């Protein structure tokens, strides 16, 4: 039975895997974490496109039936320029759609990696869904390494969050797009800094729903499958297993080390 392929630059994409498991518990998933080349957010567009193409080819070689590009940077910089033989979903458009529907004052913040912010992919998507909205984008490059190291709370993380989010607080946004799949791991501290009245738009659940609908429309659902999750990594991140258990609740199998 063919799995759904999911890839990200590190552990963050497992938040999408968790949402897929909730939405499609019988489907098997093959996850590729490109930990050897983490982070993508500081790389050039051409480099991200090259990495993404290699990752897609790897997943295709493993017989996936569909792919979710869980990396926001890859979704923004690579997906518009690549073609893949299987149904493929990114995370930018679903996140923008959710935020556009949630805002009440038409002031939307976007926090993402440097490359994603430079691309203005979220700004363009948000303006398609809500042309009247004012979009305030801000790069938060330290969030990814903090998450990968397992630093999810504490004085240091809160100080970084307050420094990054202050421009959005001043802009009086009522919705903030978490424009990187690592950022949901920091949700409690981000919510605390921004205030309970601010909506945090995490695309994972919306992407999972769209994958479910897309696979059903293409007659690719396999409800009798075992719902296994296999993980492939390009480098041995020491904190990966601990964070994976925290996100997924378990670690179904030992990661396989691969070279893409």
């Amino acid at each position: 039975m063919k799995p759904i392929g999911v890839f990200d630059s590190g552990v963050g994409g497992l938040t999408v895997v968790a949402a897929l498991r909730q939405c499609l518990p019988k489907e098997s998933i093959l996850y590729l974490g490109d930990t050897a080349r983490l982070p993508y957010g500081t790389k050039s567009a051409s480099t991200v496109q090259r990495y993404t193409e290699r990752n897609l080819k790897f997943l295709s070689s493993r017989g996936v039936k569909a792919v979710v590009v869980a990396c926001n940077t890859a979704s923004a910089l690579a997906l518009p320029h690549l073609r893949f033989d299987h149904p493929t979903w990114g995370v930018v458009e679903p996140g923008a759609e959710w935020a556009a529907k949630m805002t009440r004052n038409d002031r939307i913040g976007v926090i993402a990696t440097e490359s994603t912010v430079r691309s203005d992919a979220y700004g363009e998507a948000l303006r398609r869904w809500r042309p009247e909205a004012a979009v305030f984008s801000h790069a938060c490059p330290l969030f990814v390494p903090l998450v990968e190291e397992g630093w999810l709370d504490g004085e240091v993380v809160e100080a970084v969050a307050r420094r990054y989010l202050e421009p959005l607080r001043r802009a009086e946004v009522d919705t903030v797009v978490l424009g990187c799949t690592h950022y949901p791991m920091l949700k409690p501290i981000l919510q605390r800094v921004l205030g309970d009245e601010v909506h945090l738009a995490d695309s994972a659940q919306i992407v999972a729903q769209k994958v479910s609908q897309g696979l059903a429309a293409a007659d690719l659902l396999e409800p009798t499958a075992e719902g296994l999750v296999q993980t492939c990594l390009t480098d041995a991140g020491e904190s990966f297993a601990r964070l994976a258990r925290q996100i997924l609740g378990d670690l179904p199998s030992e990661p396989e080390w691969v070279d893409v």
Side-chain angles (χ1 to χ4, degrees):
M1 296 180 180
K2 294 184 176 182
I4 301 168
V6 180
F7 90 79
D8 191 11
S9 58
V11 71
L14 289 177
T15 57
V16 175
V17 172
L20 285 170
R21 291 177 83 187
Q22 290 180 345
C23 195
L24 297 165
K26 298 295 185 180
E27 292 288 332
S28 294
I29 299 171
L30 174 62
Y31 182 77
L32 172 62
D34 193 11
T35 44
R37 294 187 287 234
L38 174 81
Y40 279 18
T42 57
K43 307 292 194 300
S44 68
S46 60
T47 296
V48 173
Q49 290 171 22
R50 186 169 67 254
Y51 290 173
T52 301
E53 186 172 19
R54 290 175 181 173
N55 293 336
L56 290 174
K57 286 181 178 178
F58 171 81
L59 291 173
S60 183
S61 73
R62 291 296 183 96
V64 300
K65 62 183 176 184
V67 170
V68 179
V69 180
C71 175
N72 283 262
T73 301
S75 293
L77 300 183
L79 270 191
H81 308 285
L82 297 175
R83 294 293 177 266
F84 195 48
D85 293 336
H86 308 299
T88 306
W89 292 268
V91 289
V92 170
E93 197 71 25
E97 178 185 355
W98 191 95
K101 291 177 178 177
M102 289 301 297
T103 185
R104 293 295 175 265
N105 70 356
D106 286 328
R107 300 179 72 80
I108 303 172
V110 176
I111 56 174
T113 65
E114 294 170 286
S115 294
T116 300
V117 168
R118 279 198 306 271
S119 75
D120 195 35
Y122 271 105
E124 292 176 358
L126 285 164
R127 286 186 286 272
R128 283 195 296 272
W129 286 102
R130 196 149 183 137
E132 66 275 22
V135 180
F136 304 87
S137 299
H138 195 62
C140 304
L142 289 179
F143 281 168
V144 170
L146 285 171
V147 169
E148 290 288 331
E149 288 297 321
W151 287 38
L152 307 180
D153 209 335
E155 294 181 2
V156 173
V157 182
E158 182 162 345
V160 172
R162 289 193 179 280
R163 179 72 176 269
Y164 280 153
L165 300 177
E166 182 57 28
L168 301 185
R169 285 168 51 82
R170 290 200 303 268
E172 298 182 341
V173 300
D174 74 343
T175 304
V176 173
V177 178
L178 304 184
C180 175
T181 45
H182 287 73
Y183 295 0
M185 297 290 291
L186 299 172
K187 256 187 177 181
I189 205 163
L190 298 178
Q191 195 74 75
R192 188 161 69 242
V193 171
L194 288 167
D196 292 337
E197 69 280 3
V198 175
H199 300 292
L200 300 182
D202 173 7
S203 61
Q205 293 293 335
I206 303 170
V207 170
Q209 293 169 12
K210 290 188 177 297
V211 171
S212 178
Q213 295 165 0
L215 292 180
D219 197 25
L220 290 173
L221 289 176
E222 297 183 86
T224 60
E226 298 180 31
L228 301 176
V229 177
Q230 180 184 359
T231 302
C232 295
L233 302 177
T234 55
D235 192 22
E238 292 184 5
S239 62
F240 186 91
R242 175 171 50 80
L243 289 170
R245 289 189 184 94
Q246 187 169 346
I247 296 170
L248 299 177
D250 59 6
L251 191 61
S253 62
E254 286 297 316
E256 175 187 353
W257 313 119
V258 299
D259 183 0
V260 298

